[in-house]
Amino acid sequence: MAWRQLRKRALDAVVILGGGGLLFASYLTATGDEHFYAGYLMPALQGLLDGESAHRLAVRVTSLGLLPRTTFQDSDMLEVRVLGQKFRNPVGIAAGFDKHGEAVDGLFKLGFGFVEVGSVTPQPQEGNPRPRIFRLPEDKAVINRCGFNSQGLLAVERRLRARQQRQTRLTADGLPLGINLGKNKTSVDAAADYAEGIRVLGPLADYLVVNVSSPNTPGLRSLQGKAELRHLLTKVLQERDALQRAQKPAVLVKIAPDLTAEDKEDIASVVRELGIDGLIVTNTTVSRPASLRGALRSETGGLSGKPLHDLSTQTIREMQNPHHRGWRREQRAGCAGEDPGGGLAGAAVHGSHLRGAACGGQGQAGAGGPLERAGF
C-alpha cells in the first residue's frame, strides 16, 4: 500500500511539474522571450526534428496564429515607397518559407513588412527526394535541394483568393504581397510555365518574381543567358500587361550569385532593354567556401546563410555599378538569407531608400547590408 501511494505521488508530481513547465514555456514563447527562444526552445526543436520537419511545423504554427504577442509599432521613419507600393517597413520574408501561401497572415502578424510566397509551379510536384535540407550549425548555414516542391497554381490561388479582400486592406496599409513563380521540372516550355503563373496568380500579387536562379531544377539557371532571358521576359511582360486590373504588379527577376561578369552585363542589358521593374539579388550558391566546417558541407544543393554574405553583397554591388546606365534607382534589390545563428545574414537594397532584409525560410539567399544580424 505504501509503495502504491508513493508511486501515485510521484506520478502526480511529474504531471504537476510537467504541466507547470509546459505552461511556463508556453508563456515565455507567447511573450516572445528571446533568451528562452534562442537558448532553450530552438536547440530543443533542432535536436528533435530534422530541418524540413521543423520547417513544416513552423509554417503550420504560423498559419494557425500560434505566435508570440507583439506590441511593437513601426516608426514612420521605416516607411518606404518603391515598385509603386508603400512598405510599412523594409524587412520582409522571402520565398522559400511559405511556399504554398498557407501562413501569409501569421507572417504579417509577426511584423514583416512584406511577404513573398512560393516558388509556385504550374502543376503540383513533389520536388527532390528527402532528406533535402541540411543544417550546418558550425557555419551558420543551410544547404537545400528541395527542387521547387509545390502544391501548384490552383491550390495557392484558392488560398490567396479566399483572403483577397484582407490583402487589399493590408496592401493599402503598407504590407504588400509578393508571389514567386517557378517552372515544373519536366516542362519543355519554360516561358509558358511562367506565363501561366502570371495569368493565375498575377491578379492576386502586388509584385511578381520570376525565379530563374534555383540551383535545384535542371536547366533553370540557363534561363539567365541573354537570349533565353530576353525571350522569357518578353513573354512574361506581355502576360503581365494583359492582366485586367488597374495597377499592374511589378515584375522582378531573381538571379544567382554564381554569375560571371559577362552574365551580369547581359542580365543588366536585358532588364534595362525590356523595362523590368527590378532584380532580387540573390538566390543560393552552388559554391562551397573552403572555410566551411559542417559535416554535411558536401551535400548537393544551394548553400545559404552566413557563408553567402560576401558573395551576395558583391553581386549587389556589381549590379548597382554606375556603368549600368539606364537603371532606375529602385530597380536594384537584395534578398537576404536567414542566419541560423540568430539574426539576418544581410539586407535588401531597393534603390537608395529601401534598405531591409528578406529572411528566407529554407535558407533562401543571402546578402549584405546595414541590417546584418538585426536579430529579427
Side-chain angles (χ1 to χ4, degrees):
M1 180 66 70
W3 167 248
R4 289 181 180 176
Q5 289 179 340
L6 182 61
R7 182 181 179 186
K8 182 178 184 302
R9 288 177 181 176
L11 289 174
D12 288 344
V14 169
V15 170
I16 292 170
L17 291 174
L22 180 60
L23 286 173
F24 185 59
S26 300
Y27 168 77
L28 292 175
T29 303
T31 56
D33 186 287
E34 289 291 337
H35 177 69
F36 171 75
Y37 177 84
Y40 298 97
L41 180 61
M42 288 309 298
L45 288 176
Q46 289 173 357
L48 291 171
L49 302 173
D50 64 84
E52 185 157 359
S53 297
H55 175 206
R56 293 174 66 181
L57 175 62
V59 173
R60 182 60 177 163
V61 167
T62 306
S63 70
L64 293 173
L66 304 176
L67 303 165
R69 293 197 310 268
T70 176
T71 58
F72 179 80
Q73 296 295 319
D74 290 323
S75 167
D76 291 341
M77 295 177 63
L78 293 175
E79 183 180 310
V80 289
R81 293 179 181 272
V82 71
L83 301 175
Q85 300 290 341
K86 178 176 78 171
F87 290 73
R88 185 189 293 177
N89 76 66
V91 180
I93 187 156
F97 179 79
D98 188 7
K99 285 176 170 284
H100 316 305
E102 300 170 285
V104 176
D105 293 304
L107 291 168
F108 280 128
K109 183 180 177 182
L110 282 172
F112 286 111
F114 57 98
V115 172
E116 185 179 315
V117 303
S119 296
V120 188
T121 58
Q123 300 301 318
Q125 61 179 30
E126 291 294 325
N128 294 322
R130 296 179 66 172
R132 52 194 180 185
I133 299 177
F134 308 93
R135 300 184 180 114
L136 280 65
E138 303 91 338
D139 306 298
K140 299 181 179 178
V142 169
I143 293 172
N144 94 82
R145 53 169 180 261
C146 291
F148 281 171
N149 52 307
S150 174
Q151 294 180 4
L153 291 173
L154 294 183
V156 176
E157 191 267 346
R158 278 196 301 272
R159 288 194 189 99
L160 298 183
R161 182 75 66 186
R163 58 174 303 280
Q164 186 175 14
Q165 291 185 346
R166 183 182 308 123
Q167 184 58 51
T168 298
R169 293 192 296 271
L170 290 170
T171 299
D173 199 31
L175 298 173
L177 175 69
I179 300 178
N180 186 301
L181 301 173
K183 65 176 285 292
N184 281 114
K185 182 177 181 178
T186 58
S187 173
V188 296
D189 189 342
D193 276 18
Y194 288 101
E196 185 178 357
I198 291 173
R199 280 195 300 273
V200 176
L201 296 180
L204 301 167
D206 295 309
Y207 69 88
L208 294 160
V209 180
V210 179
N211 186 353
V212 291
S213 51
S214 169
N216 302 312
T217 296
L220 187 72
R221 286 193 168 188
S222 66
L223 296 175
Q224 295 172 116
K226 190 171 186 177
E228 294 85 352
L229 189 63
R230 181 186 289 112
H231 171 73
L232 171 64
L233 294 181
T234 297
K235 297 286 188 182
V236 163
L237 290 176
Q238 288 174 349
E239 210 60 57
R240 189 277 306 269
D241 293 342
L243 292 174
Q244 299 299 308
R245 51 181 294 186
Q247 183 176 357
K248 304 293 194 290
V251 172
L252 299 94
V253 180
K254 188 167 187 175
I255 64 173
D258 311 303
L259 298 167
T260 66
E262 182 179 1
D263 291 335
K264 293 167 189 171
E265 288 287 347
D266 288 345
I267 289 170
S269 173
V270 171
V271 297
R272 187 172 60 237
E273 171 193 336
L274 297 180
I276 293 296
D277 297 292
L279 294 175
I280 295 183
V281 185
T282 66
N283 213 311
T284 57
T285 180
V286 295
S287 68
R288 295 292 184 268
S291 60
L292 291 181
R293 295 176 293 136
L296 300 175
R297 62 186 179 276
S298 297
E299 289 288 347
T300 302
L303 172 71
S304 60
K306 190 173 182 180
L308 184 53
H309 179 285
D310 291 344
L311 181 57
S312 283
T313 302
Q314 178 62 26
T315 307
I316 291 175
R317 184 178 298 116
E318 292 172 356
M319 298 311 293
Q320 287 183 307
N321 193 314
H323 79 266
H324 290 157
R325 285 182 288 273
W327 278 103
R328 298 192 304 275
R329 291 191 65 82
E330 68 269 22
Q331 282 182 304
R332 300 177 290 265
C335 176
E338 67 176 327
D339 175 351
L344 298 171
V349 181
H350 294 253
S352 61
H353 303 292
L354 181 55
R355 296 183 180 273
C359 180
Q362 293 172 341
Q364 294 289 324
L371 292 183
E372 181 188 4
R373 297 190 60 77
F376 198 94

